[in-house]
């Protein structure tokens, strides 16, 4: 089986979009996975996601609990591990 035949019947998939808000300008918007970054720390206090507000340009950093981490990683957000898994 070739790659072309394996994917012949598939349709294109819409990019995942995440709803977000800016605490500075109070703007509400949708961001693509490429606009977000996820940092996973050793504790819940050091695990967060960040983005730049498309409306006011502010750097936004918000805590990320287990469910948020699951959604962001599943949606293709780039992840940085801040601690060793050893």
């Amino acid at each position: 089986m070739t790659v072309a035949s394996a994917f012949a019947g598939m349709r294109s998939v819409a990019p995942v979009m995440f709803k977000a808000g800016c605490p500075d300008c109070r703007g509400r918007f949708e961001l693509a996975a490429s606009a977000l970054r996820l940092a996973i720390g050793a504790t819940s206090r050091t695990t967060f996601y960040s983005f730049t507000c498309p409306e006011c340009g502010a750097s936004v950093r918000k805590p990320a609990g287990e469910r948020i981490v699951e959604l962001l990683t599943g949606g293709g957000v780039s992840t940085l591990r801040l601690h060793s898994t050893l």
Side-chain angles (χ1 to χ4, degrees):
M1 176 181 284
T2 66
V3 172
S5 64
F7 292 101
M10 295 185 74
R11 298 183 197 135
S12 64
V13 177
V16 176
M17 299 297 285
F18 296 93
K19 291 184 180 185
C22 177
D24 288 357
C25 72
R26 302 246 186 243
R28 293 234 168 269
F29 36 81
E30 290 188 348
L31 297 171
S34 61
L36 295 157
R37 297 290 177 263
L38 174 62
I40 300 177
T43 68
S44 60
R45 296 182 110 178
T46 57
T47 299
F48 60 91
Y49 66 98
S50 61
F51 58 90
T52 300
C53 176
E55 294 186 12
C56 72
S59 293
V60 179
R61 178 176 161 166
K62 295 188 175 189
E66 286 183 37
R67 181 70 178 137
I68 297 293
V69 169
E70 183 180 316
L71 290 170
L72 294 177
T73 55
V77 172
S78 294
T79 303
L80 172 67
R81 294 205 178 270
L82 301 177
H83 70 286
S84 173
T85 57
L86 299 176

